[in-house]
Amino acid sequence: MTALEKETAITAYFNMWVQREFSKLDTIFAKNIYYSECYGPEYYGLSEIYQWIEAMLQKQKVLEWRIKKFFHENDSVIVEWFFREQQSSIIHGFDGISIIEFQSDRKIHSIKEFESKSDHISPYH
């Protein structure tokens, strides 16, 4: 699988959240996918992923999930991104990194997310 194919799959997944349309998720994710969110929850398999998505669509609207940069290493891709969401009337944004692993069937079988505050300071300037 080429780097461009991996980037296309990852971009499609991120866009699903913004568009609130997940009908092609099975073409991107392996059935036995492992997903670790940046704030703690873990999901095992597509059935748990779909349960999580349905719950999140009820309470959250993703306003932006912008990819900043891709880093490739064999079957793994590290993605640097910015995420902005709205829950009720509260808008929240943060920076993040995902470690995404592909398997031989060209599908994502693992995603591990890590979060960072998006407001940065320079304490010595």
Side-chain angles (χ1 to χ4, degrees), residues 71-85:
F71 303 89
H72 295 269
E73 178 66 31
N74 299 320
D75 291 332
S76 298
V77 181
I78 298 171
V79 184
E80 180 184 4
W81 43 262
F82 174 76
F83 182 88
R84 191 166 50 96
E85 63 163 352

mmCIF file with all atom_site columns, all heavy atoms in Angstrom, residues 71-85:
data_model
loop_
_atom_site.group_PDB
_atom_site.id
_atom_site.type_symbol
_atom_site.label_atom_id
_atom_site.label_alt_id
_atom_site.label_comp_id
_atom_site.label_asym_id
_atom_site.label_entity_id
_atom_site.label_seq_id
_atom_site.pdbx_PDB_ins_code
_atom_site.Cartn_x
_atom_site.Cartn_y
_atom_site.Cartn_z
_atom_site.occupancy
_atom_site.B_iso_or_equiv
_atom_site.pdbx_formal_charge
_atom_site.auth_seq_id
_atom_site.auth_comp_id
_atom_site.auth_asym_id
_atom_site.auth_atom_id
_atom_site.pdbx_PDB_model_num
ATOM 1   N N   . PHE A 1 71 ? 3.534   11.336 8.799  1.00 0.00 ? 71 PHE A N   1
ATOM 2   C CA  . PHE A 1 71 ? 4.859   10.726 8.924  1.00 0.00 ? 71 PHE A CA  1
ATOM 3   C C   . PHE A 1 71 ? 4.678   9.231  8.668  1.00 0.00 ? 71 PHE A C   1
ATOM 4   O O   . PHE A 1 71 ? 3.853   8.593  9.328  1.00 0.00 ? 71 PHE A O   1
ATOM 5   C CB  . PHE A 1 71 ? 5.439   10.929 10.330 1.00 0.00 ? 71 PHE A CB  1
ATOM 6   C CG  . PHE A 1 71 ? 5.549   12.361 10.752 1.00 0.00 ? 71 PHE A CG  1
ATOM 7   C CD1 . PHE A 1 71 ? 4.485   12.994 11.402 1.00 0.00 ? 71 PHE A CD1 1
ATOM 8   C CD2 . PHE A 1 71 ? 6.705   13.089 10.514 1.00 0.00 ? 71 PHE A CD2 1
ATOM 9   C CE1 . PHE A 1 71 ? 4.582   14.314 11.798 1.00 0.00 ? 71 PHE A CE1 1
ATOM 10  C CE2 . PHE A 1 71 ? 6.804   14.412 10.912 1.00 0.00 ? 71 PHE A CE2 1
ATOM 11  C CZ  . PHE A 1 71 ? 5.736   15.027 11.549 1.00 0.00 ? 71 PHE A CZ  1
ATOM 12  N N   . HIS A 1 72 ? 5.440   8.661  7.744  1.00 0.00 ? 72 HIS A N   1
ATOM 13  C CA  . HIS A 1 72 ? 5.282   7.265  7.358  1.00 0.00 ? 72 HIS A CA  1
ATOM 14  C C   . HIS A 1 72 ? 6.450   6.415  7.850  1.00 0.00 ? 72 HIS A C   1
ATOM 15  O O   . HIS A 1 72 ? 7.600   6.823  7.761  1.00 0.00 ? 72 HIS A O   1
ATOM 16  C CB  . HIS A 1 72 ? 5.186   7.152  5.835  1.00 0.00 ? 72 HIS A CB  1
ATOM 17  C CG  . HIS A 1 72 ? 3.969   7.794  5.275  1.00 0.00 ? 72 HIS A CG  1
ATOM 18  N ND1 . HIS A 1 72 ? 2.791   7.115  5.094  1.00 0.00 ? 72 HIS A ND1 1
ATOM 19  C CD2 . HIS A 1 72 ? 3.728   9.068  4.871  1.00 0.00 ? 72 HIS A CD2 1
ATOM 20  C CE1 . HIS A 1 72 ? 1.880   7.941  4.595  1.00 0.00 ? 72 HIS A CE1 1
ATOM 21  N NE2 . HIS A 1 72 ? 2.428   9.134  4.446  1.00 0.00 ? 72 HIS A NE2 1
ATOM 22  N N   . GLU A 1 73 ? 6.109   5.216  8.336  1.00 0.00 ? 73 GLU A N   1
ATOM 23  C CA  . GLU A 1 73 ? 7.113   4.232  8.744  1.00 0.00 ? 73 GLU A CA  1
ATOM 24  C C   . GLU A 1 73 ? 6.526   2.839  8.508  1.00 0.00 ? 73 GLU A C   1
ATOM 25  O O   . GLU A 1 73 ? 5.682   2.379  9.298  1.00 0.00 ? 73 GLU A O   1
ATOM 26  C CB  . GLU A 1 73 ? 7.491   4.414  10.217 1.00 0.00 ? 73 GLU A CB  1
ATOM 27  C CG  . GLU A 1 73 ? 8.489   3.416  10.757 1.00 0.00 ? 73 GLU A CG  1
ATOM 28  C CD  . GLU A 1 73 ? 9.865   3.532  10.114 1.00 0.00 ? 73 GLU A CD  1
ATOM 29  O OE1 . GLU A 1 73 ? 10.257  4.648  9.725  1.00 0.00 ? 73 GLU A OE1 1
ATOM 30  O OE2 . GLU A 1 73 ? 10.541  2.500  10.001 1.00 0.00 ? 73 GLU A OE2 1
ATOM 31  N N   . ASN A 1 74 ? 6.922   2.211  7.414  1.00 0.00 ? 74 ASN A N   1
ATOM 32  C CA  . ASN A 1 74 ? 6.417   0.884  7.038  1.00 0.00 ? 74 ASN A CA  1
ATOM 33  C C   . ASN A 1 74 ? 4.886   0.879  6.991  1.00 0.00 ? 74 ASN A C   1
ATOM 34  O O   . ASN A 1 74 ? 4.310   1.638  6.246  1.00 0.00 ? 74 ASN A O   1
ATOM 35  C CB  . ASN A 1 74 ? 6.985   -0.189 7.967  1.00 0.00 ? 74 ASN A CB  1
ATOM 36  C CG  . ASN A 1 74 ? 8.503   -0.253 7.891  1.00 0.00 ? 74 ASN A CG  1
ATOM 37  O OD1 . ASN A 1 74 ? 9.085   -0.139 6.822  1.00 0.00 ? 74 ASN A OD1 1
ATOM 38  N ND2 . ASN A 1 74 ? 9.148   -0.412 9.037  1.00 0.00 ? 74 ASN A ND2 1
ATOM 39  N N   . ASP A 1 75 ? 4.238   0.037  7.807  1.00 0.00 ? 75 ASP A N   1
ATOM 40  C CA  . ASP A 1 75 ? 2.775   -0.066 7.797  1.00 0.00 ? 75 ASP A CA  1
ATOM 41  C C   . ASP A 1 75 ? 2.106   0.914  8.759  1.00 0.00 ? 75 ASP A C   1
ATOM 42  O O   . ASP A 1 75 ? 0.892   0.843  8.966  1.00 0.00 ? 75 ASP A O   1
ATOM 43  C CB  . ASP A 1 75 ? 2.338   -1.494 8.139  1.00 0.00 ? 75 ASP A CB  1
ATOM 44  C CG  . ASP A 1 75 ? 2.688   -2.475 7.027  1.00 0.00 ? 75 ASP A CG  1
ATOM 45  O OD1 . ASP A 1 75 ? 2.751   -2.047 5.860  1.00 0.00 ? 75 ASP A OD1 1
ATOM 46  O OD2 . ASP A 1 75 ? 2.883   -3.661 7.327  1.00 0.00 ? 75 ASP A OD2 1
ATOM 47  N N   . SER A 1 76 ? 2.877   1.805  9.353  1.00 0.00 ? 76 SER A N   1
ATOM 48  C CA  . SER A 1 76 ? 2.345   2.769  10.313 1.00 0.00 ? 76 SER A CA  1
ATOM 49  C C   . SER A 1 76 ? 2.434   4.191  9.771  1.00 0.00 ? 76 SER A C   1
ATOM 50  O O   . SER A 1 76 ? 3.356   4.529  9.040  1.00 0.00 ? 76 SER A O   1
ATOM 51  C CB  . SER A 1 76 ? 3.125   2.706  11.629 1.00 0.00 ? 76 SER A CB  1
ATOM 52  O OG  . SER A 1 76 ? 2.996   1.438  12.221 1.00 0.00 ? 76 SER A OG  1
ATOM 53  N N   . VAL A 1 77 ? 1.444   4.998  10.163 1.00 0.00 ? 77 VAL A N   1
ATOM 54  C CA  . VAL A 1 77 ? 1.429   6.411  9.810  1.00 0.00 ? 77 VAL A CA  1
ATOM 55  C C   . VAL A 1 77 ? 1.140   7.195  11.079 1.00 0.00 ? 77 VAL A C   1
ATOM 56  O O   . VAL A 1 77 ? 0.225   6.862  11.834 1.00 0.00 ? 77 VAL A O   1
ATOM 57  C CB  . VAL A 1 77 ? 0.344   6.728  8.755  1.00 0.00 ? 77 VAL A CB  1
ATOM 58  C CG1 . VAL A 1 77 ? 0.358   8.204  8.390  1.00 0.00 ? 77 VAL A CG1 1
ATOM 59  C CG2 . VAL A 1 77 ? 0.518   5.869  7.516  1.00 0.00 ? 77 VAL A CG2 1
ATOM 60  N N   . ILE A 1 78 ? 1.934   8.216  11.321 1.00 0.00 ? 78 ILE A N   1
ATOM 61  C CA  . ILE A 1 78 ? 1.661   9.146  12.404 1.00 0.00 ? 78 ILE A CA  1
ATOM 62  C C   . ILE A 1 78 ? 1.083   10.395 11.765 1.00 0.00 ? 78 ILE A C   1
ATOM 63  O O   . ILE A 1 78 ? 1.626   10.908 10.797 1.00 0.00 ? 78 ILE A O   1
ATOM 64  C CB  . ILE A 1 78 ? 2.935   9.472  13.205 1.00 0.00 ? 78 ILE A CB  1
ATOM 65  C CG1 . ILE A 1 78 ? 3.483   8.193  13.843 1.00 0.00 ? 78 ILE A CG1 1
ATOM 66  C CG2 . ILE A 1 78 ? 2.650   10.546 14.261 1.00 0.00 ? 78 ILE A CG2 1
ATOM 67  C CD1 . ILE A 1 78 ? 4.840   8.348  14.476 1.00 0.00 ? 78 ILE A CD1 1
ATOM 68  N N   . VAL A 1 79 ? -0.041  10.846 12.315 1.00 0.00 ? 79 VAL A N   1
ATOM 69  C CA  . VAL A 1 79 ? -0.746  11.991 11.754 1.00 0.00 ? 79 VAL A CA  1
ATOM 70  C C   . VAL A 1 79 ? -0.810  13.082 12.817 1.00 0.00 ? 79 VAL A C   1
ATOM 71  O O   . VAL A 1 79 ? -1.294  12.850 13.925 1.00 0.00 ? 79 VAL A O   1
ATOM 72  C CB  . VAL A 1 79 ? -2.181  11.621 11.332 1.00 0.00 ? 79 VAL A CB  1
ATOM 73  C CG1 . VAL A 1 79 ? -2.858  12.796 10.655 1.00 0.00 ? 79 VAL A CG1 1
ATOM 74  C CG2 . VAL A 1 79 ? -2.184  10.405 10.437 1.00 0.00 ? 79 VAL A CG2 1
ATOM 75  N N   . GLU A 1 80 ? -0.321  14.267 12.472 1.00 0.00 ? 80 GLU A N   1
ATOM 76  C CA  . GLU A 1 80 ? -0.462  15.431 13.343 1.00 0.00 ? 80 GLU A CA  1
ATOM 77  C C   . GLU A 1 80 ? -1.700  16.186 12.878 1.00 0.00 ? 80 GLU A C   1
ATOM 78  O O   . GLU A 1 80 ? -1.879  16.426 11.682 1.00 0.00 ? 80 GLU A O   1
ATOM 79  C CB  . GLU A 1 80 ? 0.772   16.319 13.232 1.00 0.00 ? 80 GLU A CB  1
ATOM 80  C CG  . GLU A 1 80 ? 0.710   17.545 14.113 1.00 0.00 ? 80 GLU A CG  1
ATOM 81  C CD  . GLU A 1 80 ? 1.901   18.476 13.920 1.00 0.00 ? 80 GLU A CD  1
ATOM 82  O OE1 . GLU A 1 80 ? 2.755   18.202 13.044 1.00 0.00 ? 80 GLU A OE1 1
ATOM 83  O OE2 . GLU A 1 80 ? 1.967   19.475 14.641 1.00 0.00 ? 80 GLU A OE2 1
ATOM 84  N N   . TRP A 1 81 ? -2.592  16.580 13.834 1.00 0.00 ? 81 TRP A N   1
ATOM 85  C CA  . TRP A 1 81 ? -3.856  17.184 13.447 1.00 0.00 ? 81 TRP A CA  1
ATOM 86  C C   . TRP A 1 81 ? -4.354  18.208 14.473 1.00 0.00 ? 81 TRP A C   1
ATOM 87  O O   . TRP A 1 81 ? -3.846  18.299 15.578 1.00 0.00 ? 81 TRP A O   1
ATOM 88  C CB  . TRP A 1 81 ? -4.929  16.126 13.227 1.00 0.00 ? 81 TRP A CB  1
ATOM 89  C CG  . TRP A 1 81 ? -5.002  15.012 14.248 1.00 0.00 ? 81 TRP A CG  1
ATOM 90  C CD1 . TRP A 1 81 ? -4.458  13.762 14.120 1.00 0.00 ? 81 TRP A CD1 1
ATOM 91  C CD2 . TRP A 1 81 ? -5.638  15.033 15.533 1.00 0.00 ? 81 TRP A CD2 1
ATOM 92  N NE1 . TRP A 1 81 ? -4.729  13.014 15.248 1.00 0.00 ? 81 TRP A NE1 1
ATOM 93  C CE2 . TRP A 1 81 ? -5.450  13.762 16.118 1.00 0.00 ? 81 TRP A CE2 1
ATOM 94  C CE3 . TRP A 1 81 ? -6.345  15.987 16.241 1.00 0.00 ? 81 TRP A CE3 1
ATOM 95  C CZ2 . TRP A 1 81 ? -5.956  13.436 17.379 1.00 0.00 ? 81 TRP A CZ2 1
ATOM 96  C CZ3 . TRP A 1 81 ? -6.843  15.668 17.505 1.00 0.00 ? 81 TRP A CZ3 1
ATOM 97  C CH2 . TRP A 1 81 ? -6.644  14.394 18.042 1.00 0.00 ? 81 TRP A CH2 1
ATOM 98  N N   . PHE A 1 82 ? -5.376  18.973 14.036 1.00 0.00 ? 82 PHE A N   1
ATOM 99  C CA  . PHE A 1 82 ? -6.123  19.881 14.908 1.00 0.00 ? 82 PHE A CA  1
ATOM 100 C C   . PHE A 1 82 ? -7.587  19.474 14.842 1.00 0.00 ? 82 PHE A C   1
ATOM 101 O O   . PHE A 1 82 ? -8.124  19.209 13.766 1.00 0.00 ? 82 PHE A O   1
ATOM 102 C CB  . PHE A 1 82 ? -5.982  21.348 14.470 1.00 0.00 ? 82 PHE A CB  1
ATOM 103 C CG  . PHE A 1 82 ? -6.863  22.277 15.266 1.00 0.00 ? 82 PHE A CG  1
ATOM 104 C CD1 . PHE A 1 82 ? -6.524  22.626 16.556 1.00 0.00 ? 82 PHE A CD1 1
ATOM 105 C CD2 . PHE A 1 82 ? -8.040  22.757 14.724 1.00 0.00 ? 82 PHE A CD2 1
ATOM 106 C CE1 . PHE A 1 82 ? -7.344  23.462 17.302 1.00 0.00 ? 82 PHE A CE1 1
ATOM 107 C CE2 . PHE A 1 82 ? -8.871  23.590 15.454 1.00 0.00 ? 82 PHE A CE2 1
ATOM 108 C CZ  . PHE A 1 82 ? -8.515  23.943 16.754 1.00 0.00 ? 82 PHE A CZ  1
ATOM 109 N N   . PHE A 1 83 ? -8.238  19.412 16.010 1.00 0.00 ? 83 PHE A N   1
ATOM 110 C CA  . PHE A 1 83 ? -9.631  18.967 16.119 1.00 0.00 ? 83 PHE A CA  1
ATOM 111 C C   . PHE A 1 83 ? -10.438 20.030 16.839 1.00 0.00 ? 83 PHE A C   1
ATOM 112 O O   . PHE A 1 83 ? -10.018 20.547 17.874 1.00 0.00 ? 83 PHE A O   1
ATOM 113 C CB  . PHE A 1 83 ? -9.650  17.661 16.920 1.00 0.00 ? 83 PHE A CB  1
ATOM 114 C CG  . PHE A 1 83 ? -11.006 17.044 17.086 1.00 0.00 ? 83 PHE A CG  1
ATOM 115 C CD1 . PHE A 1 83 ? -11.507 16.172 16.141 1.00 0.00 ? 83 PHE A CD1 1
ATOM 116 C CD2 . PHE A 1 83 ? -11.768 17.302 18.214 1.00 0.00 ? 83 PHE A CD2 1
ATOM 117 C CE1 . PHE A 1 83 ? -12.743 15.576 16.303 1.00 0.00 ? 83 PHE A CE1 1
ATOM 118 C CE2 . PHE A 1 83 ? -13.005 16.715 18.385 1.00 0.00 ? 83 PHE A CE2 1
ATOM 119 C CZ  . PHE A 1 83 ? -13.495 15.849 17.428 1.00 0.00 ? 83 PHE A CZ  1
ATOM 120 N N   . ARG A 1 84 ? -11.612 20.354 16.282 1.00 0.00 ? 84 ARG A N   1
ATOM 121 C CA  . ARG A 1 84 ? -12.511 21.324 16.923 1.00 0.00 ? 84 ARG A CA  1
ATOM 122 C C   . ARG A 1 84 ? -13.920 20.753 16.897 1.00 0.00 ? 84 ARG A C   1
ATOM 123 O O   . ARG A 1 84 ? -14.393 20.287 15.864 1.00 0.00 ? 84 ARG A O   1
ATOM 124 C CB  . ARG A 1 84 ? -12.459 22.663 16.195 1.00 0.00 ? 84 ARG A CB  1
ATOM 125 C CG  . ARG A 1 84 ? -13.148 23.793 16.929 1.00 0.00 ? 84 ARG A CG  1
ATOM 126 C CD  . ARG A 1 84 ? -12.775 25.157 16.346 1.00 0.00 ? 84 ARG A CD  1
ATOM 127 N NE  . ARG A 1 84 ? -12.924 25.222 14.913 1.00 0.00 ? 84 ARG A NE  1
ATOM 128 C CZ  . ARG A 1 84 ? -14.012 25.700 14.282 1.00 0.00 ? 84 ARG A CZ  1
ATOM 129 N NH1 . ARG A 1 84 ? -15.008 26.181 14.965 1.00 0.00 ? 84 ARG A NH1 1
ATOM 130 N NH2 . ARG A 1 84 ? -14.055 25.704 12.968 1.00 0.00 ? 84 ARG A NH2 1
ATOM 131 N N   . GLU A 1 85 ? -14.585 20.775 18.046 1.00 0.00 ? 85 GLU A N   1
ATOM 132 C CA  . GLU A 1 85 ? -15.915 20.190 18.199 1.00 0.00 ? 85 GLU A CA  1
ATOM 133 C C   . GLU A 1 85 ? -16.837 21.136 18.955 1.00 0.00 ? 85 GLU A C   1
ATOM 134 O O   . GLU A 1 85 ? -16.383 22.073 19.615 1.00 0.00 ? 85 GLU A O   1
ATOM 135 C CB  . GLU A 1 85 ? -15.826 18.894 19.002 1.00 0.00 ? 85 GLU A CB  1
ATOM 136 C CG  . GLU A 1 85 ? -15.323 19.160 20.413 1.00 0.00 ? 85 GLU A CG  1
ATOM 137 C CD  . GLU A 1 85 ? -15.580 18.043 21.403 1.00 0.00 ? 85 GLU A CD  1
ATOM 138 O OE1 . GLU A 1 85 ? -16.282 17.081 21.077 1.00 0.00 ? 85 GLU A OE1 1
ATOM 139 O OE2 . GLU A 1 85 ? -15.077 18.162 22.527 1.00 0.00 ? 85 GLU A OE2 1
#
